[in-house]
Amino acid sequence: MPTTLPADPHVTPVPLDKAYRLINHGPTVLVSASHDGVDNVMAAAWACALDFQPPKLTVVLDKATCTRALVEASGRFVVQVPTVAQLALTHAVGNLSRHTDADKLAHCQVALWHADGLPLVAGCAAWLACRLIAEPHNQQAYDLFIGEVEQAWADSRVFRDGRWRFEDADPRWRSLHHVAGGHFYAIGEALAVDQPPPLG
Amino acid sequence: MPTTLPADPHVTPVPLDKAYRLINHGPTVLVSASHDGVDNVMAAAWACALDFQPPKLTVVLDKATCTRALVEASGRFVVQVPTVAQLALTHAVGNLSRHTDADKLAHCQVALWHADGLPLVAGCAAWLACRLIAEPHNQQAYDLFIGEVEQAWADSRVFRDGRWRFEDADPRWRSLHHVAGGHFYAIGEALAVDQPPPLG
């Protein structure tokens, strides 16, 4: 783990073969990137796992976003999983553009750590540090970006031993799932197939 | 709506400009396709919205799946949103292959409707009928398929007037969010940004 991460005992490396599990349940994520001294963070509901090992993911980055330009220039980005406690922050970074407000991150109350030159949003439940796999046709035609996950971390209060613990953690750690406008759902109860719910 | 859909008053067309909302919150989906008289259904956690209008989506289809071959041969497929009541079915179609069990659908207790030649899984919360946008490089290198949504429907008991109503519906209508193995989460409580949860 890069020594530039904070000495927070809750932030724990996630083995790369388990990294897909951080986003497998479809949370809305924050995408951050940095280039030439400029950091930015946006929200993205359209992010998805793509492969197990090496872990890859897709994320849709609109041409209007400042973060996209930082991803294209630096070839690196972070996908992180925000929590119910970060609902207002998540909505704010998804609706305010750095193109119109250079102090966007301060106004959205985003605190960043830096790890190996990448900006990570403090307070999230998990972080996936990605290297862009350049696919110019996808990027231009579909705004679709592919990343290979090179490092991953999670907060051990909600993800431990390779799995989410939403059912045991404070409900403010639950992931956010955007539907439209300012409307989200939190992730809910755990279900296991050997214990199907009653149908009656 | 094709006349081959059942005369179920709950199955309601969804306007195409709202179709993205059916999967925006990241549910695990079922993918179905049909070719030359063969129907199949698989589960996919790696499906994601890609565009608003016309609505597009991505889905990852492994080369080992029978459904992928049907998608490639027919150029069409359906992405549908299964429910908590379909937990066992969802797990079963994700773990049993038609390559080894020609009666997979019967053994997984899948009931199909057919609309305009496409197989739709009865009992789901929503259906998105897609036309494959052929992208051979993505399909070969990443198992990544892009579809344009041509028609969409939802069950009005859980999706009405362009939005999900999980908070008002029977909890068995909630969407499934797969993490790993037989472990899922159901979608949970509704959150609106103008009503953030207490932080204290």
Side-chain angles (χ1 to χ4, degrees):
Chain A
M1 189 161 54
T3 54
T4 46
L5 270 183
D8 182 333
H10 298 298
V11 177
T12 309
V14 174
L16 284 181
D17 66 345
K18 300 287 195 301
Y20 77 94
R21 296 184 180 184
L22 299 172
I23 56 169
N24 208 70
H25 66 299
T28 292
V29 301
L30 305 180
V31 182
S32 57
S34 181
H35 182 67
D36 211 9
V38 175
D39 295 322
N40 205 21
V41 180
M42 62 179 275
W46 297 356
C48 192
L50 178 66
D51 207 350
F52 292 107
Q53 187 70 304
K56 298 190 190 78
L57 55 78
T58 56
V59 62
V60 177
L61 304 174
D62 192 85
K63 293 179 181 69
T65 65
C66 176
T67 302
R68 174 181 171 138
L70 300 177
V71 171
E72 290 177 321
S74 68
R76 299 172 70 205
F77 59 100
V78 180
V79 167
Q80 46 239 306
V81 181
T83 70
V84 166
Q86 295 173 305
L87 175 64
L89 180 157
T90 301
H91 186 65
V93 299
N95 284 276
L96 187 63
S97 174
R98 198 181 182 287
H99 287 311
T100 53
D101 181 352
D103 288 329
K104 167 179 173 173
L105 296 187
H107 290 153
C108 295
Q109 300 190 287
V110 172
L112 293 177
W113 303 331
H114 285 84
D116 195 20
L118 281 169
L120 294 92
V121 179
C124 286
W127 302 262
L128 301 100
C130 300
R131 178 181 60 79
L132 177 65
I133 298 177
E135 288 283 1
H137 169 65
N138 285 336
Q139 295 166 209
Q140 197 58 36
Y142 301 112
D143 297 336
L144 181 67
F145 289 71
I146 296 177
E148 179 177 328
V149 181
E150 296 189 316
Q151 286 188 281
W153 307 271
D155 192 297
S156 61
R157 287 169 287 189
V158 64
F159 187 97
R160 286 188 301 282
D161 301 327
R163 52 173 296 238
W164 288 108
R165 308 285 171 164
F166 294 119
E167 59 273 35
D168 302 323
D170 187 304
R172 290 172 298 173
W173 280 106
R174 291 185 180 238
S175 55
L176 298 170
H177 299 253
H178 190 233
V179 275
H183 295 276
F184 295 78
Y185 288 95
I187 199 65
E189 64 171 326
L191 303 168
V193 166
D194 52 351
Q195 296 169 327
L199 289 171
Chain B
M1 189 162 55
T3 54
T4 45
L5 269 183
D8 182 333
H10 298 299
V11 177
T12 309
V14 174
L16 284 181
D17 66 345
K18 301 286 195 302
Y20 78 94
R21 296 184 180 184
L22 299 172
I23 57 169
N24 209 70
H25 66 299
T28 292
V29 301
L30 304 180
V31 182
S32 57
S34 182
H35 182 67
D36 211 9
V38 175
D39 296 322
N40 205 21
V41 179
M42 61 178 276
W46 298 355
C48 191
L50 178 66
D51 207 350
F52 291 106
Q53 187 69 302
K56 297 189 189 80
L57 55 78
T58 56
V59 62
V60 177
L61 303 175
D62 191 84
K63 292 178 182 69
T65 66
C66 177
T67 302
R68 173 182 172 139
L70 300 177
V71 171
E72 290 177 320
S74 68
R76 299 171 71 204
F77 59 101
V78 180
V79 167
Q80 45 241 305
V81 181
T83 70
V84 166
Q86 294 173 306
L87 175 64
L89 180 158
T90 301
H91 186 65
V93 298
N95 285 274
L96 187 63
S97 174
R98 199 180 182 288
H99 287 311
T100 53
D101 181 352
D103 288 329
K104 168 179 173 175
L105 297 186
H107 291 153
C108 295
Q109 299 190 287
V110 172
L112 293 178
W113 302 331
H114 286 85
D116 194 20
L118 281 169
L120 294 93
V121 179
C124 286
W127 301 263
L128 301 101
C130 300
R131 179 181 59 79
L132 177 65
I133 298 177
E135 288 283 2
H137 170 65
N138 285 336
Q139 295 165 210
Q140 197 58 37
Y142 302 112
D143 297 335
L144 180 67
F145 289 71
I146 296 177
E148 179 177 328
V149 182
E150 296 189 317
Q151 287 189 279
W153 308 270
D155 192 297
S156 60
R157 287 170 286 189
V158 63
F159 187 96
R160 287 187 301 282
D161 302 327
R163 54 173 295 241
W164 287 108
R165 309 285 171 162
F166 295 120
E167 58 274 35
D168 303 324
D170 186 304
R172 289 172 298 172
W173 282 106
R174 291 184 179 239
S175 54
L176 298 169
H177 299 254
H178 190 232
V179 276
H183 295 276
F184 295 78
Y185 288 95
I187 199 65
E189 64 173 324
L191 302 167
V193 166
D194 52 351
Q195 296 169 327
L199 289 171

